[in-house]
Amino acid sequence: RALRPNGAAWMVVGDSRYAGVDVPTGSILADLASHVGWSIEVADPFRAMRSSAQQGGRNDLAETLLVMRRPRD
């Protein structure tokens, strides 16, 4: 509600992994946004981040740039 109609929201979100199960956070948020009428202009993984030490500590989790546009009212 705080974003004006046709305004864009930019965010960077990181994927997660729990008990060896990958959670594609960027994809989930893009899917949820499109279901409520927002358009997805960009959904690109642009760098990798480290998983926790318990998960191996490797650079194997994506960070995704999401650019979403609120629908016109």
Side-chain angles (χ1 to χ4, degrees), residues 24-73:
T25 309
S27 297
I28 292 168
L29 289 174
D31 189 47
L32 290 171
S34 67
H35 277 61
V36 295
W38 288 58
S39 61
I40 308 304
E41 295 183 351
V42 176
D44 289 329
F46 71 100
R47 66 180 177 185
M49 62 182 189
R50 286 179 37 141
S51 57
S52 70
Q54 298 91 331
Q55 299 290 331
R58 294 177 302 276
N59 286 338
D60 56 358
L61 294 174
E63 281 189 320
T64 302
L65 169 65
L66 289 176
V67 179
M68 304 179 295
R69 188 158 304 274
R70 181 180 172 188
R72 298 178 193 267
D73 288 338

Side-chain angles (χ1 to χ4, degrees), residues 12-26:
V12 175
V13 295
D15 289 354
S16 295
R17 180 178 298 126
Y18 296 98
V21 177
D22 289 341
V23 180
T25 309

